[in-house]
Amino acid sequence: MANVTIFGAGYVGVPTGAHFARTHTVTVYDPDARKVQSINDVIEKKSDSLHIHEKGLIELLQENHENIHATSDILEALEDPEIIFIAVGTPPNEKGRANLKYVCAAAEQIAKNIKNDCVVLNKSTVPPGTAYLVKEIIENNRVNDVKISVGSCPEFLAEGTAIEDLRTPDRIVYGCDDQDALDRVTDFFLYLHGKATLCPMSTVSSEVTKYAANALLATKISFMNSLAMLCDSIGANVREVQDGVGKDTRIGRKFLNASMGYGGSCFPKDTMAIAEYGQLFKSPLEIIESTIKVNDKTTNYFTEKIIETFGSDLSGKNFIVWGIGFKARTDDLRESKPVQVAKELMDRGAHVHIYDTVAGALTNFVNENNCYEGKFTLHHEQYEMVSEAIDGLVIGNEHEKFRNLNIKILKIMRGKHIYDGKNILNNRLIKDLIASGFTYKSIGKDSVASEIEKNKLISFLKNEYMD
């Protein structure tokens, strides 16, 4: 068992701390007293509400209450940790580069207050070389005569499944150029996971691995989204293509779902950051740059399907958006595609009625979009906003509640238009919608709702592929 301190009480720091507390003693440090109080109240069973939403997190904190607590007192946080994880935010700047000011601030605090030998690991997603920068800051500001090794241990968590991702990871990547420190980190993780799961490596390789993994997953999504646009053009069904491609074991089915684009706190930030990093080193990552362009194009492609129906001026129109979080079961709206679509509709004069299964997502939408006040209405029941005044329904994320539409209720809508931003409706339901007078638009499977234009394809081939 080790004493662990985690800097940062966000979507990474708190779940990670709760997981480590299964076998280690954990202190979560954050200067925000409100977040600290939220965590401690949950640990002590005084509250069942956290400042972040993550399935199973509250239960895990309470289960391991004897091994974890939170503090905003830096001296308490750095009393005697053997391993420190820096899990603070690295929001992108206007050029797409990770902002390292919070990481550097954490390093300086560690240097000025630590009193014992320890290992410091960056868990935040940072550009390669950041661990060396952290090491320099610590050495330049160190007050006490202690040995501090610095390395990297990037997180690979998906919001909504972070607790399960931590419990059963595909692999745990960590790097340190100090072999003794690397061995100590290995021993730390062996309390929680089998040796086959561990991937020790050099510091900079660990930092690159994080970006490489997220960029490759994002590339799979954008690759399939580009095919989805072709599928709509020729009458193919992208869901069928996904199944055929995904069953190739060399490729795999995960992250091949076509949709209106990826969002969230990781893929947009990390793809931009590593692409910018490559440009700065004059080693451009052209495939990743294309991935970013396709992602932006896909969102516009989906939104244009709505505009094509009604025209560019949406004044007097009312739309439902089911699912405003960037994906199901999260309150995180960072780079959320349904938020982008909702804003585009409101910018064009429409009123938007928003429902999400996570109450915090609705609260965050209000807090982050005050400039749209009066242009949207929030709802806490899935069908309560359905009326004769509604012109269309947009499915924003993949929650299972949105997969089985109640056609009888939706027929009240004056505009019988369904826009499936996540391609989650099955073919049978789509055909039932069409039979009930609805139109259906998606990303790459519009053909389910219409006949394939065979003669158009034949003429195209004759004109373009014959000598």
Side-chain angles (χ1 to χ4, degrees), residues 96-109:
R97 302 174 191 172
N99 189 332
L100 297 178
K101 67 177 182 179
Y102 301 113
V103 172
C104 293
E108 188 170 341
Q109 285 183 306

Side-chain angles (χ1 to χ4, degrees), residues 91-329:
N93 61 20
E94 67 281 356
K95 294 182 178 180
R97 302 174 191 172
N99 189 332
L100 297 178
K101 67 177 182 179
Y102 301 113
V103 172
C104 293
E108 188 170 341
Q109 285 183 306
I110 293 168
K112 292 180 177 179
N113 295 283
I114 196 71
K115 298 176 182 178
N116 58 281
D117 295 352
C118 65
V119 179
V120 176
L121 298 171
N122 285 331
K123 186 156 279 294
S124 304
T125 302
V126 292
T130 300
Y132 302 146
L133 172 61
V134 169
K135 176 68 172 177
E136 180 182 88
I137 292 171
I138 290 175
E139 289 303 313
N140 289 343
N141 292 275
R142 183 164 51 86
V143 173
N144 297 304
D145 184 18
V146 294
K147 179 183 179 182
I148 304 174
S149 300
V150 181
S152 168
C153 181
E155 53 86 12
F156 294 93
L157 306 181
E159 287 183 38
T161 60
I163 298 303
E164 186 61 20
D165 294 340
L166 285 159
R167 190 180 70 84
T168 59
D170 293 331
R171 79 289 195 213
I172 299 171
V173 174
Y174 55 100
C176 192
D177 296 343
D178 178 341
Q179 186 60 49
D180 179 63
L182 194 66
D183 292 341
R184 289 167 62 189
V185 177
T186 296
D187 290 341
F188 169 83
F189 280 118
L190 284 174
Y191 278 93
L192 290 156
H193 304 284
K195 193 169 185 178
T197 308
L198 308 186
C199 293
M201 58 184 70
S202 69
T203 300
V204 74
S205 293
S206 174
E207 292 171 325
V208 172
T209 298
K210 166 64 177 183
Y211 279 116
N214 277 0
L216 186 55
L217 293 175
T219 298
K220 288 180 71 175
I221 295 171
S222 282
F223 173 80
M224 193 53 69
N225 281 342
S226 64
L227 279 178
M229 297 181 213
L230 175 64
C231 286
D232 275 342
S233 297
I234 64 177
N237 183 336
V238 74
R239 295 286 289 190
E240 295 171 346
V241 176
Q242 288 167 193
D243 289 339
V245 172
K247 287 181 179 178
D248 186 327
T249 56
R250 299 168 300 173
I251 299 171
R253 184 63 179 79
K254 292 184 177 181
F255 292 89
L256 284 183
N257 292 322
S259 68
M260 56 182 158
Y262 58 77
S265 60
C266 293
F267 288 177
K269 175 172 70 73
D270 292 354
T271 50
M272 287 190 294
I274 194 61
E276 174 70 9
Y277 192 90
Q279 287 287 351
L280 292 172
F281 266 89
K282 302 197 183 317
S283 297
L285 300 168
E286 295 173 355
I287 292 176
I288 299 174
E289 292 173 357
S290 296
T291 292
I292 297 168
K293 291 178 182 178
V294 170
N295 192 54
D296 294 338
K297 179 180 178 181
T298 305
T299 312
N300 295 333
Y301 173 78
F302 177 73
T303 308
E304 280 299 319
K305 293 196 174 198
I306 304 174
I307 296 169
E308 286 172 2
T309 306
F310 299 96
S312 60
D313 184 0
L314 298 179
S315 300
K317 303 298 181 184
N318 289 275
F319 294 91
I320 297 170
V321 175
W322 279 349
I324 203 68
F326 84 91
K327 69 174 184 176
R329 287 174 287 277

Side-chain angles (χ1 to χ4, degrees), residues 5-38:
T5 292
I6 296 176
F7 273 65
Y11 287 94
V12 174
V14 181
T16 300
H19 174 66
F20 288 166
R22 297 178 193 269
T23 57
H24 298 288
T25 301
V26 178
T27 300
V28 177
Y29 168 76
D30 199 290
D32 188 332
R34 180 186 63 86
K35 293 180 181 179
V36 168
Q37 190 65 51
S38 172

Side-chain angles (χ1 to χ4, degrees), residues 11 53 320-327 329-333 336 338-339 342 352-370 376-382 384-385 397 402:
Y11 287 94
H53 179 85
I320 297 170
V321 175
W322 279 349
I324 203 68
F326 84 91
K327 69 174 184 176
R329 287 174 287 277
T330 181
D331 59 353
D332 195 347
L333 305 188
S336 168
V339 169
V352 178
H353 298 263
I354 302 170
Y355 166 75
D356 198 286
T357 60
V358 179
L362 300 176
T363 301
N364 288 341
F365 185 85
V366 173
N367 293 338
E368 296 170 16
N369 295 282
N370 289 328
F376 63 86
T377 304
L378 303 183
H379 299 268
H380 297 279
E381 298 293 335
Q382 185 176 357
E384 71 177 5
M385 75 293 288
N397 67 38
F402 310 147

Side-chain angles (χ1 to χ4, degrees), residues 37-111:
Q37 190 65 51
S38 172
I39 297 167
N40 286 332
D41 284 348
V42 165
I43 292 171
E44 297 167 12
K45 297 186 178 180
K46 296 178 181 178
S47 169
D48 59 359
S49 177
L50 271 174
H51 60 285
I52 58 173
H53 179 85
E54 188 61 56
K55 181 181 178 182
L57 177 55
I58 289 175
E59 293 80 1
L60 188 60
L61 285 168
Q62 293 176 348
E63 177 185 334
N64 299 317
H65 65 278
E66 293 182 351
N67 290 341
I68 185 170
H69 79 286
T71 183
S72 56
D73 183 339
I74 189 64
L75 294 179
E76 180 184 2
L78 295 176
E79 188 173 349
D80 60 352
E82 298 163 65
I83 300 179
I84 300 171
F85 291 88
I86 299 177
V88 298
T90 55
N93 61 20
E94 67 281 356
K95 294 182 178 180
R97 302 174 191 172
N99 189 332
L100 297 178
K101 67 177 182 179
Y102 301 113
V103 172
C104 293
E108 188 170 341
Q109 285 183 306
I110 293 168

